[in-house]
Amino acid sequence: MPFHGLPYSWLKNKKIRKFADSINNDVGVKFEKEIATRIASKYPYRYDVKSIGDTSIEDFPIIENGVPTGRNVGQIDFIIINNDNGVIYIADAKYLKSKYITASFFNDKSKFDEYYKKLQDKLIWAENNKPLISELFGFNVNNYTVKELFITDAYIFYALFVEYPIIPVIALNDYIATADRFCYLEL
């Protein structure tokens, strides 16, 4: 139930679907709190960012080549700052079933290809709105680099084959400190 892996016949039942949704949401909130606990003493961060001051992030429209796409930025799971390296991480937290096997590769690829499109929208927003991020944190990040990051609860085999970082939460601080997307292989 935490992963929405319900049999098709159960999906027709509104009570079961609502119960599964509540479990899924609860697990996601607890996972984000776990991430926050791990980085709290090392890096400035904000999570569940929906707006900054009076500026909505969730409703900010995505425009490509001057044409509205119909998509919005949406809520940002985490904005993490590494002041030593001058990096703003725009991070998406993904609580997934543990998948240590190669058989999960194509399923993970399909999911992360979709997740990555949404994360890119958030990355573009952050790149164009560094003054707002500076306001959120209370210090100037206008010259910082913006990078994307997926944080997962478990190792993902697919992470070894993509150009963007998919980092298990256990290695998050190591990754932020080093930007070595394979840092978890040494754990």
Side-chain angles (χ1 to χ4, degrees), residues 41-74:
S41 66
K42 296 193 178 229
Y43 302 102
Y45 74 94
R46 300 291 186 275
Y47 76 100
D48 194 24
V49 181
K50 297 175 183 171
S51 63
I52 299 174
D54 293 333
T55 305
S56 172
I57 296 170
E58 285 185 302
D59 300 327
F60 195 87
I62 301 300
I63 298 171
E64 291 177 350
N65 301 320
V67 179
T69 63
R71 299 187 316 265
N72 295 333
V73 171

Side-chain angles (χ1 to χ4, degrees), residues 21-95:
D21 286 345
S22 71
I23 290 172
N24 180 270
N25 291 337
D26 187 48
V27 167
V29 167
K30 287 180 180 174
F31 181 55
E32 287 183 3
K33 286 181 180 177
E34 170 67 19
I35 293 168
T37 299
R38 288 180 182 261
I39 60 176
S41 66
K42 296 193 178 229
Y43 302 102
Y45 74 94
R46 300 291 186 275
Y47 76 100
D48 194 24
V49 181
K50 297 175 183 171
S51 63
I52 299 174
D54 293 333
T55 305
S56 172
I57 296 170
E58 285 185 302
D59 300 327
F60 195 87
I62 301 300
I63 298 171
E64 291 177 350
N65 301 320
V67 179
T69 63
R71 299 187 316 265
N72 295 333
V73 171
Q75 169 259 3
I76 297 176
D77 288 349
F78 282 87
I79 301 175
I80 306 167
I81 307 288
N82 181 329
N83 283 313
D84 293 338
N85 296 342
V87 178
I88 303 166
Y89 287 102
I90 303 300
D92 232 3
K94 296 295 179 195
Y95 190 87

Side-chain angles (χ1 to χ4, degrees), residues 125-171:
W125 175 88
E127 192 66 54
N128 293 321
N129 289 279
K130 290 178 187 176
L132 280 176
I133 296 172
S134 295
E135 177 184 325
L136 179 66
F137 283 90
F139 54 85
N140 189 339
V141 297
N142 290 331
N143 294 324
Y144 285 31
T145 303
V146 179
K147 294 184 179 181
E148 73 270 1
L149 168 61
F150 286 107
I151 306 166
T152 59
D153 60 309
Y155 299 99
I156 304 294
F157 182 67
Y158 179 63
L160 298 173
F161 302 95
V162 292
E163 66 279 354
Y164 51 84
I166 303 173
I167 306 298
V169 68
I170 194 167

